[in-house]
Amino acid sequence: MRSSTLWFLLLSAVLVLAPAFVRATGPEEPKQVKAEEPKDKDEDENAAIANPAEFEKKACGDKEVDFKVETDKKQHPTPAAPADKAMVYVIRPTGMGGKIQTKLAVDGKWIAGNRGNNYFFFTLDPGEHYCCSQAENRSLLLLQVEAGKTYYLQQKIKMGMWKARNKLVLLDEAEGKEGLAKCHLAISTEKK
């Protein structure tokens, strides 16, 4: 009886003291670190702009314009830039949110509408231009262009709360040409 009592006391002591011993000699417990939410590059697209409200007014203007957009699969014009102006292609080379229209304004004037797998193009005078792409949100871009050069803008689409969200990005020539080849011409007419 005496040996079983001794074993019981010894086992109890080990069970009571072991956790304290492990805590004292074992590895440190991990420190509580506040987890940061991963940042979505598309969410803070306008953060680099010093005064987003002023920039948006210069880019998007005051007057809201809506477009009727149709796809023309019979032609695929890709004119080169004229010697005295820059050529700008605006592409949406994916079908995501295909029927949801995006539109583009430059320097406060709405240029055209677009939708999935479509593109449109226009010319700009050399210099700095304020661009505004609109879907569920507005995405702003400062574009510096030179005469005789071609530029490719992509309206990148992702899911939004009510309809597609967009981010306007400048592509390099290789990406631009590749995306343009996947698109059909968008014909926009302003709704009155």
Side-chain angles (χ1 to χ4, degrees), residues 74-148:
K74 294 180 180 167
Q75 58 177 334
H76 195 272
T78 56
D84 62 336
K85 294 193 180 280
M87 177 62 68
V88 180
Y89 287 93
V90 180
I91 63 172
R92 276 189 54 190
T94 68
M96 183 171 181
K99 296 293 180 189
I100 302 297
Q101 290 184 21
T102 51
K103 58 186 176 181
L104 184 87
V106 178
D107 300 328
K109 181 178 183 254
W110 292 99
I111 306 289
N114 213 357
R115 57 184 187 193
N117 296 317
N118 281 3
Y119 78 99
F120 62 89
F121 59 91
F122 58 95
T123 59
L124 286 175
D125 290 327
E128 195 172 78
H129 297 278
Y130 296 87
C131 301
C132 173
S133 181
Q134 183 171 315
E136 181 180 81
N137 65 315
R138 285 184 169 178
S139 178
L140 308 174
L141 177 76
L142 184 61
L143 182 64
Q144 181 73 36
V145 300
E146 296 177 30

Side-chain angles (χ1 to χ4, degrees), residues 23-93:
R23 269 187 258 125
T25 61
E28 282 187 31
E29 289 183 25
K31 294 179 180 167
Q32 293 293 326
V33 178
K34 184 179 176 190
E36 289 187 28
E37 292 291 319
K39 293 202 177 188
D40 182 353
K41 289 186 268 182
D42 291 349
E43 293 300 318
D44 278 340
E45 69 217 32
N46 302 329
I49 298 171
N51 186 341
E54 185 179 311
F55 190 108
E56 185 173 334
K57 187 164 179 66
K58 287 180 182 179
C60 308
D62 292 326
K63 184 181 173 213
E64 194 67 35
V65 174
D66 288 318
F67 294 97
K68 177 183 177 188
V69 180
E70 296 178 3
T71 301
D72 183 349
K73 294 184 178 182
K74 294 180 180 167
Q75 58 177 334
H76 195 272
T78 56
D84 62 336
K85 294 193 180 280
M87 177 62 68
V88 180
Y89 287 93
V90 180
I91 63 172
R92 276 189 54 190

Side-chain angles (χ1 to χ4, degrees), residues 1-9:
M1 191 67 115
R2 192 168 179 187
S3 109
S4 64
T5 305
L6 186 59
W7 279 109
F8 176 75
L9 290 174

